[in-house]
Amino acid sequence: MRLIFTSLVSHGHLYPLLPLAVAARDAGHEVLFATGDDMLPVVEKAGLAAESAGFGMREAFESVAGPDAPKPNASDAPPESFHPVIGEVFGNVMPRRFVADLTPLLERHRPDLVVYESGNAGGAIAAHLAGIPAIGHGFGRFSRDDVMDVIYGRLAEFGAEVGLEGVNLPSFGDPVVDICPESVQAPDFLAEANRIPLRPVGWAEPGDLPAGVVGRDKSRPLVYLTLGTAFGDENVLKRAIGGLARLDADVIVAAGPAVDPGQLRDVPSNVRVEAWVPQVDLLPHVDLVVHHGGSGTTLGAFGAGLPQLVLPQGADQFTNAEAVVAAGVGTQLIGANVVEDAISEQARKLLTDETVLGAARKLADEVAAMPSPAEVAQRLPEFAG
């Protein structure tokens, strides 16, 4: 069977699809992955055939708001003031580009099934216009909020323009591979979706863990701090480092591509700053994750049974933080509350709260019981034409 996978041009949108794509290839299917140029090396390192489609989020935002527009998480403007730009980018600019790039690719390869990442509406629209069966693939929780309503409004307009009026958003009426455990998934999505559960299997490019992680003295907790690949903020990281350094614990910081690690050089002796760490390999050694609420880190911590202190910065991170709190596996700090004292206090509580630790272990058991990528890959022919 011929399969085309496609995702937005971002680690957080690409990585969740790679385990199933690799499992499908290992099951004997012919797999091609279509994403933007910046992510093609990642796909190729996974051993998958790749073709270019779409363009990056930064380029898309600059095409709408200009190169000097501030990031929503780095602006004093109210978040809702950015909704029109976000809606235009995700509901029109990027879908339009992906449809343009994927349409000739689908004509050349004529796949039996398209697996599109749920943020990549252009993948769904291109498949539907070509008459090719398709399924969505989530990258986390399917939350619905004001900004998503703006995005869906623009998508509905674009869909009508190309002949897909009345399309059922966000699933386009397709089955959806859902990597979020059911107990923390959005209830409205569970009520409406044709859901294909899939265990969230983390993906990271090969790399060594920081020295001292393996075989470390486990009498001291290890705290992992990251703000992800897209929403890194130097000031937030500095405040978090200041708060966590007060703990009788070791702290590993992943600065990510948005922050220069050199700006975080002067740190206490129990803190270590890295540009990047292989998160999948690190989490089994960690006792607490302090992070931005990105879907990959949130789900990774779910699977590892870890308590979480979430410092949401934008996008779906606020609803992810709410889900963490509702599940009893962590807490959140937002805006003016993201200060050293509060971070230190909350982290100290989370490291010792047996109720939270028990809830985290229970959620990890739920994740472990979800179908594996190999099992879901065996089902893919059910959805092909």
Side-chain angles (χ1 to χ4, degrees):
M1 186 170 73
R2 294 188 302 278
L3 299 167
I4 288 182
F5 284 71
T6 183
S7 79
L8 293 184
V9 192
S10 152
H11 294 89
H13 290 260
L14 167 69
Y15 278 6
L17 273 67
L18 288 176
L20 182 59
V22 169
R25 179 205 63 199
D26 292 346
H29 299 301
E30 181 182 323
V31 176
L32 175 69
F33 208 113
T35 188
D37 292 344
D38 289 348
M39 292 291 107
L40 293 183
V42 177
V43 176
E44 290 163 353
K45 285 180 183 177
L48 298 170
E51 286 203 28
S52 179
F55 59 170
M57 293 186 190
R58 177 178 298 179
E59 185 179 352
F61 272 99
E62 289 182 355
S63 73
V64 175
D68 299 323
K71 292 182 180 179
N73 67 314
S75 171
D76 294 330
E80 57 269 19
S81 67
F82 292 92
H83 289 180
V85 171
I86 295 171
E88 179 68 11
V89 167
F90 287 94
N92 184 39
V93 172
M94 288 199 292
R96 191 177 294 274
R97 172 64 180 269
F98 268 95
V99 169
D101 290 350
L102 287 171
T103 296
L105 188 151
L106 294 176
E107 291 175 354
R108 288 199 312 273
H109 292 276
R110 296 307 303 177
D112 301 293
L113 180 68
V114 172
V115 182
Y116 60 90
E117 176 258 314
S118 295
N120 185 10
I125 293 170
H128 280 255
L129 291 175
I132 298 171
I135 59 175
H137 190 305
F139 57 88
R141 294 182 76 251
F142 284 85
S143 57
R144 186 82 181 245
D145 55 18
D146 291 343
V147 70
M148 292 307 301
D149 287 338
V150 176
I151 292 171
Y152 293 156
R154 294 296 287 120
L155 271 177
E157 293 173 8
F158 177 47
E161 177 187 328
V162 296
L164 293 179
E165 289 189 89
V167 66
N168 180 22
L169 297 171
S171 69
F172 291 88
D174 299 324
V176 180
V177 175
D178 182 14
I179 63 172
C180 184
E182 186 172 346
S183 68
V184 289
Q185 183 56 277
D188 54 348
F189 170 78
L190 293 174
E192 299 173 2
N194 178 2
R195 180 174 177 264
I196 309 165
L198 170 65
R199 185 186 312 150
V201 176
W203 189 274
E205 295 184 47
D208 295 328
L209 288 170
V213 170
V214 178
R216 69 182 179 87
D217 178 5
K218 294 189 178 181
S219 64
R220 284 167 59 84
L222 180 61
V223 179
Y224 170 45
L225 169 62
T226 179
L227 295 183
T229 57
F231 282 85
D233 184 292
E234 179 184 328
N235 292 325
V236 175
L237 279 176
K238 285 181 175 178
R239 293 198 295 273
I241 289 170
L244 297 174
R246 302 178 190 179
L247 305 174
D248 182 20
D250 296 313
V251 182
I252 289 181
V253 183
V259 176
D260 178 5
Q263 299 302 313
L264 306 173
R265 264 185 305 227
D266 298 325
V267 295
S269 59
N270 62 334
V271 178
R272 178 167 183 170
V273 177
E274 304 282 349
W276 172 87
V277 297
Q279 181 171 284
V280 174
D281 299 324
L282 178 64
L283 288 178
H285 301 277
V286 168
D287 298 286
L288 170 67
V289 184
V290 181
H291 66 104
H292 56 306
S295 292
T297 307
T298 302
L299 292 174
F302 286 165
L306 296 171
Q308 306 180 47
L309 172 54
V310 189
L311 317 173
Q313 302 295 298
D316 59 346
Q317 296 163 17
F318 294 97
T319 55
N320 286 342
E322 292 168 2
V324 166
V325 174
V329 298
T331 189
Q332 65 171 322
L333 294 170
I334 297 176
N337 293 319
V338 183
V339 295
E340 290 189 14
D341 287 345
I343 291 168
S344 181
E345 177 186 359
Q346 292 298 325
R348 186 175 288 108
K349 288 179 180 178
L350 289 169
L351 283 167
T352 58
D353 190 324
E354 288 298 329
T355 300
V356 171
L357 296 173
R361 288 191 291 267
K362 181 178 178 182
L363 189 50
D365 290 340
E366 181 183 353
V367 171
M370 296 172 72
S372 70
E375 291 171 318
V376 174
Q378 294 295 329
R379 292 191 57 195
L380 291 177
E382 298 175 22
F383 307 102

